[in-house]
Short mmCIF file of all heavy atoms in Angstrom, two decimals:
data_model
loop_
_atom_site.label_atom_id
_atom_site.label_comp_id
_atom_site.label_asym_id
_atom_site.label_seq_id
_atom_site.Cartn_x
_atom_site.Cartn_y
_atom_site.Cartn_z
N ILE M 89 -1.81 -24.49 3.36
CA ILE M 89 -0.93 -23.43 2.89
C ILE M 89 0.31 -23.37 3.78
O ILE M 89 0.22 -23.37 5.01
CB ILE M 89 -1.62 -22.06 2.94
CG1 ILE M 89 -2.96 -22.09 2.20
CG2 ILE M 89 -0.72 -20.97 2.38
CD1 ILE M 89 -3.80 -20.83 2.43
N VAL M 90 1.48 -23.29 3.13
CA VAL M 90 2.74 -23.00 3.81
C VAL M 90 3.11 -21.56 3.48
O VAL M 90 3.23 -21.20 2.30
CB VAL M 90 3.87 -23.94 3.36
CG1 VAL M 90 5.20 -23.52 4.01
CG2 VAL M 90 3.54 -25.38 3.70
N PHE M 99 2.81 -12.79 10.85
CA PHE M 99 2.29 -13.70 11.86
C PHE M 99 1.87 -15.03 11.23
O PHE M 99 1.90 -16.07 11.88
CB PHE M 99 1.07 -13.08 12.56
CG PHE M 99 1.43 -12.05 13.59
CD1 PHE M 99 1.47 -10.72 13.27
CD2 PHE M 99 1.74 -12.43 14.89
CE1 PHE M 99 1.80 -9.76 14.22
CE2 PHE M 99 2.08 -11.50 15.85
CZ PHE M 99 2.11 -10.15 15.51
N LEU M 100 1.46 -15.01 9.96
CA LEU M 100 1.01 -16.22 9.27
C LEU M 100 2.14 -16.87 8.49
O LEU M 100 2.30 -18.09 8.49
CB LEU M 100 -0.15 -15.87 8.33
CG LEU M 100 -1.40 -15.27 8.96
CD1 LEU M 100 -2.43 -14.94 7.89
CD2 LEU M 100 -1.99 -16.20 10.00
N ALA M 101 2.92 -16.04 7.79
CA ALA M 101 4.04 -16.56 6.99
C ALA M 101 5.27 -16.67 7.88
O ALA M 101 6.07 -15.75 7.99
CB ALA M 101 4.32 -15.62 5.81
N GLU M 102 5.41 -17.82 8.52
CA GLU M 102 6.44 -17.94 9.55
C GLU M 102 7.71 -18.65 9.07
O GLU M 102 8.71 -18.66 9.78
CB GLU M 102 5.88 -18.71 10.75
CG GLU M 102 5.54 -20.16 10.46
CD GLU M 102 5.05 -20.90 11.69
OE1 GLU M 102 4.32 -20.30 12.48
OE2 GLU M 102 5.39 -22.08 11.85
N ILE M 103 7.70 -19.22 7.85
CA ILE M 103 8.88 -19.92 7.35
C ILE M 103 9.78 -18.92 6.63
O ILE M 103 9.37 -18.27 5.67
CB ILE M 103 8.49 -21.05 6.36
CG1 ILE M 103 7.43 -21.96 6.98
CG2 ILE M 103 9.73 -21.85 5.97
CD1 ILE M 103 7.85 -22.69 8.21
N PHE M 111 12.50 -27.30 5.40
CA PHE M 111 11.10 -27.56 5.70
C PHE M 111 10.44 -28.43 4.64
O PHE M 111 9.48 -29.16 4.95
CB PHE M 111 10.34 -26.24 5.86
CG PHE M 111 8.98 -26.41 6.47
CD1 PHE M 111 8.85 -26.85 7.78
CD2 PHE M 111 7.83 -26.16 5.75
CE1 PHE M 111 7.60 -27.03 8.36
CE2 PHE M 111 6.58 -26.32 6.31
CZ PHE M 111 6.46 -26.77 7.61
N ASN M 119 6.68 -34.17 9.24
CA ASN M 119 7.13 -33.47 10.44
C ASN M 119 6.61 -32.04 10.45
O ASN M 119 7.36 -31.07 10.33
CB ASN M 119 8.66 -33.49 10.51
CG ASN M 119 9.18 -32.94 11.83
OD1 ASN M 119 8.51 -33.03 12.85
ND2 ASN M 119 10.37 -32.35 11.79
N TYR M 120 5.31 -31.91 10.58
CA TYR M 120 4.68 -30.59 10.59
C TYR M 120 3.31 -30.68 11.26
O TYR M 120 2.82 -31.78 11.56
CB TYR M 120 4.53 -30.04 9.18
CG TYR M 120 3.68 -30.89 8.26
CD1 TYR M 120 2.30 -30.70 8.16
CD2 TYR M 120 4.24 -31.89 7.47
CE1 TYR M 120 1.51 -31.48 7.33
CE2 TYR M 120 3.47 -32.68 6.64
CZ TYR M 120 2.10 -32.47 6.57
OH TYR M 120 1.33 -33.24 5.75
N ILE M 121 2.73 -29.54 11.51
CA ILE M 121 1.41 -29.44 12.12
C ILE M 121 0.47 -28.70 11.17
O ILE M 121 0.89 -27.74 10.52
CB ILE M 121 1.46 -28.69 13.47
CG1 ILE M 121 2.36 -29.41 14.46
CG2 ILE M 121 0.07 -28.51 14.06
CD1 ILE M 121 2.66 -28.61 15.70
N ILE M 122 -0.77 -29.13 11.08
CA ILE M 122 -1.77 -28.38 10.33
C ILE M 122 -2.75 -27.77 11.32
O ILE M 122 -3.37 -28.46 12.12
CB ILE M 122 -2.53 -29.27 9.33
CG1 ILE M 122 -1.61 -29.68 8.17
CG2 ILE M 122 -3.75 -28.53 8.77
CD1 ILE M 122 -2.29 -30.48 7.08
N GLU M 123 -2.85 -26.43 11.28
CA GLU M 123 -3.80 -25.72 12.10
C GLU M 123 -5.01 -25.31 11.26
O GLU M 123 -4.84 -24.79 10.16
CB GLU M 123 -3.16 -24.47 12.72
CG GLU M 123 -2.08 -24.77 13.75
CD GLU M 123 -1.54 -23.50 14.37
OE1 GLU M 123 -1.96 -22.39 13.95
OE2 GLU M 123 -0.68 -23.62 15.26
N ARG M 125 -7.90 -22.74 10.77
CA ARG M 125 -8.22 -21.38 11.18
C ARG M 125 -9.63 -20.99 10.72
O ARG M 125 -10.02 -21.26 9.58
CB ARG M 125 -7.20 -20.40 10.57
CG ARG M 125 -5.75 -20.65 11.01
CD ARG M 125 -5.56 -20.35 12.49
NE ARG M 125 -4.18 -20.50 12.90
CZ ARG M 125 -3.29 -19.51 12.91
NH1 ARG M 125 -3.63 -18.30 12.49
NH2 ARG M 125 -2.06 -19.73 13.33
N LEU M 266 -3.52 -24.08 7.71
CA LEU M 266 -2.18 -23.53 7.65
C LEU M 266 -1.17 -24.56 8.15
O LEU M 266 -1.38 -25.18 9.20
CB LEU M 266 -2.07 -22.25 8.49
CG LEU M 266 -2.97 -21.08 8.09
CD1 LEU M 266 -2.69 -19.89 9.00
CD2 LEU M 266 -2.75 -20.70 6.63
N VAL M 267 -0.09 -24.74 7.40
CA VAL M 267 0.95 -25.68 7.78
C VAL M 267 1.95 -24.95 8.68
O VAL M 267 2.46 -23.89 8.32
CB VAL M 267 1.67 -26.25 6.54
CG1 VAL M 267 2.78 -27.21 6.97
CG2 VAL M 267 0.66 -26.95 5.63
N LYS M 268 2.24 -25.53 9.84
CA LYS M 268 3.12 -24.90 10.82
C LYS M 268 4.28 -25.81 11.20
O LYS M 268 4.17 -27.04 11.15
CB LYS M 268 2.32 -24.54 12.09
CG LYS M 268 1.22 -23.52 11.84
CD LYS M 268 1.80 -22.17 11.47
CE LYS M 268 0.74 -21.12 11.29
NZ LYS M 268 1.29 -19.80 10.97
N ARG M 269 5.37 -25.19 11.62
CA ARG M 269 6.52 -25.94 12.11
C ARG M 269 6.22 -26.50 13.49
O ARG M 269 5.51 -25.88 14.29
CB ARG M 269 7.75 -25.03 12.19
CG ARG M 269 8.25 -24.55 10.85
CD ARG M 269 9.18 -23.37 10.99
NE ARG M 269 10.24 -23.59 11.96
CZ ARG M 269 11.14 -22.65 12.29
NH1 ARG M 269 11.08 -21.45 11.74
NH2 ARG M 269 12.08 -22.92 13.17
N LYS M 270 6.79 -27.65 13.78
CA LYS M 270 6.61 -28.26 15.09
C LYS M 270 7.50 -27.61 16.15
O LYS M 270 7.20 -27.68 17.35
CB LYS M 270 6.92 -29.76 15.04
CG LYS M 270 5.79 -30.62 14.50
CD LYS M 270 6.13 -32.09 14.66
CE LYS M 270 4.94 -32.96 14.25
NZ LYS M 270 5.25 -34.41 14.42
N ASP M 271 8.59 -26.99 15.72
CA ASP M 271 9.60 -26.52 16.66
C ASP M 271 9.41 -25.05 17.07
O ASP M 271 10.30 -24.45 17.66
CB ASP M 271 11.00 -26.71 16.08
CG ASP M 271 11.20 -25.95 14.78
OD1 ASP M 271 10.21 -25.50 14.18
OD2 ASP M 271 12.37 -25.80 14.36
N ILE M 272 8.28 -24.46 16.74
CA ILE M 272 8.04 -23.07 17.13
C ILE M 272 6.58 -22.93 17.55
O ILE M 272 5.68 -23.48 16.93
CB ILE M 272 8.38 -22.10 15.98
CG1 ILE M 272 8.30 -20.65 16.44
CG2 ILE M 272 7.48 -22.33 14.77
CD1 ILE M 272 8.87 -19.67 15.44
N ILE M 277 6.21 -16.78 18.48
CA ILE M 277 5.99 -15.82 17.38
C ILE M 277 5.57 -14.46 17.94
O ILE M 277 6.06 -13.42 17.51
CB ILE M 277 4.92 -16.36 16.41
CG1 ILE M 277 5.44 -17.60 15.69
CG2 ILE M 277 4.53 -15.29 15.39
CD1 ILE M 277 4.39 -18.30 14.85
#
Side-chain angles (χ1 to χ4, degrees):
I89 307 170
V90 175
F99 282 95
L100 300 178
E102 66 178 38
I103 309 297
F111 193 66
N119 187 29
Y120 61 89
I121 299 170
I122 290 184
E123 292 183 356
R125 299 292 184 92
L266 299 182
V267 179
K268 297 293 183 179
R269 294 163 51 183
K270 279 187 174 181
D271 60 346
I272 187 169
I277 293 173

